[in-house]
Amino acid sequence: ERLMFRALLWKEWRQLALVRWGGIALGAVLPIAFLTGAELAQRGWLPTGAVKTYAPRDLMYEALPLALAFALWPLIGLMSAAQSFAGDRAVGTESFLLERPVARGSVWRARLLASFGTLVAVIVVTAALAAAAAALTGAPLPGSGRSQWLMHASLGLGTGLLALLGGLVAASLLSSPLGAVLLGAVLAAVPVILAAQLSTVFLMARIDDIPLGVVVPALLLPAYIASSWLASCRGEPSGRGRVRRAVTFLVGTLAGVLVLFAVSVPFVMRINAAIRQHSVIRSPRGGGAFVVADSYYEGGGGWLVDVATARKLTFVPPPVRVGAFSPNGAEVAV
């Protein structure tokens, strides 16, 4: 079985050679393309407009890393997953492969490792080429350069892996590699859009500086892997019902993520209010106090507290910017 898995892995790795070399070639051409475009724009030969001057160092330290992190690496992630998981199905050889005495789980793992290895190889080589191109333009400006490179590399690794997972699910459902690339881009964008919406609309749902709206949607990522495994390794070898299994699991996971977020918000608000510094507003008649959590995010939550017993009576959800008792101490306004 181990020899069979190695043979499968080598087969998938060879089939992705064109994706690897194509990604590396694009990464090698990008620095030249940026410099050529800037030079043409300076001479006024581009219809998009002209620039008076440009600095090659700025292009190599700023524009090039962004192009790699948010364009090339996600594209390679989508293409490697689509070609690996949908390529055999598109040319009609997958049925022949599944008729051999090999477990479908071994085929799925070989495809996953080959596509992941392809993405990593492209990231490492193109990042090295871009770093060399940047170094040839001179040292970075103070406050930029290496730190920006590390930040862009981290973001690019995340976007590449996210694109790989989206393509993984799409290619497990569709027979066309091109269709898998398009659907994979949509699926990869779902956790990002959901995280942006939840963290923006529910700004106070955070623990310290970590928004709950970013943490909870991350649970969709392992669901992508599980749904691909359900589609490829369960049911009939012919693949009948794989779309229904995967889509049902994904929809259920998405609904569970939303329910988990809604249930967790009240607890997270209390936790966040507890770890901040606090301001105490005493009642004029004594016996009570209003304790407000100082927060950098439009004010934290607060508690109405019985001073004698130190018992929390009522939690006031954020934002609480200012609190004040009435003159007789019977009411509190926020």
Side-chain angles (χ1 to χ4, degrees):
E1 183 178 356
R2 183 175 299 178
L3 293 177
M4 179 65 72
F5 178 77
R6 290 180 179 176
L8 287 170
L9 182 60
W10 176 240
K11 164 189 168 296
E12 299 296 336
W13 182 258
R14 285 186 288 109
Q15 287 183 342
L16 292 175
L18 183 60
V19 176
R20 281 193 304 277
W21 288 112
I24 292 172
L26 286 174
V29 168
L30 274 178
I32 303 174
F34 275 117
L35 293 175
T36 303
E39 184 66 24
L40 293 176
Q42 186 180 12
R43 297 174 182 269
W45 293 352
L46 290 183
T48 56
V51 295
K52 294 182 179 180
T53 184
Y54 71 93
R57 178 176 55 187
D58 295 338
L59 293 176
M60 296 301 103
Y61 279 100
E62 297 179 9
L64 181 59
L66 289 175
L68 292 175
F70 296 103
L72 179 61
W73 295 347
L75 177 63
I76 296 302
L78 289 169
M79 292 180 62
S80 61
Q83 179 61 34
S84 182
F85 282 83
D88 289 337
R89 197 179 309 128
V91 298
T93 59
E94 185 177 58
S95 58
F96 173 80
L97 176 63
L98 295 178
E99 289 176 356
R100 304 299 97 188
V102 55
R104 282 182 288 170
S106 298
V107 177
W108 182 83
R109 288 192 298 273
R111 290 173 174 174
L112 180 62
L113 286 176
S115 55
F116 176 74
T118 293
L119 175 62
V120 172
V122 171
I123 289 177
V124 170
V125 175
T126 55
L129 292 175
L136 291 176
T137 61
L141 294 175
S144 62
R146 294 180 180 83
S147 60
Q148 282 191 343
W149 261 98
L150 291 176
M151 181 183 68
H152 292 151
S154 301
L155 291 175
L157 182 60
T159 55
L161 291 176
L162 187 60
L164 177 69
L165 293 179
L168 172 69
V169 179
S172 300
L173 303 178
L174 303 180
S175 299
S176 169
L178 179 58
V181 169
L182 298 177
L183 179 59
V186 175
L187 292 175
V190 169
V192 178
I193 295 174
L194 185 61
Q197 289 293 320
L198 292 179
S199 59
T200 302
V201 175
F202 301 95
L203 182 63
M204 301 301 169
R206 61 174 64 238
I207 298 179
D208 202 9
D209 294 332
I210 303 175
L212 181 65
V214 173
V215 175
V216 174
L219 298 176
L220 288 174
L221 303 184
Y224 280 4
I225 299 176
S227 63
S228 174
W229 183 81
L230 285 174
S232 303
C233 303
R234 285 293 178 264
E236 299 179 4
S238 61
R240 186 171 64 178
R242 70 173 184 270
V243 176
R244 176 181 53 81
R245 289 193 303 272
V247 171
T248 300
F249 182 79
L250 283 178
V251 172
T253 303
L254 179 60
V257 164
L258 296 177
V259 171
L260 177 62
F261 180 82
V263 172
S264 303
V265 165
F267 300 99
V268 168
M269 286 184 175
R270 285 166 169 79
I271 294 173
N272 190 50
I275 63 178
R276 296 285 183 179
Q277 294 182 346
H278 298 84
S279 299
V280 179
I281 305 171
R282 294 186 58 84
S283 172
R285 65 179 184 181
F290 188 61
V291 181
V292 183
D294 298 332
S295 175
Y296 299 106
Y297 300 98
E298 300 297 327
W303 288 271
L304 190 62
V305 178
D306 185 343
V307 175
T309 62
R311 185 165 59 92
K312 297 175 182 177
L313 303 177
T314 302
F315 177 74
V316 181
V320 178
R321 299 180 181 88
V322 180
F325 279 93
S326 60
N328 61 1
E331 295 176 329
V332 64
V334 297

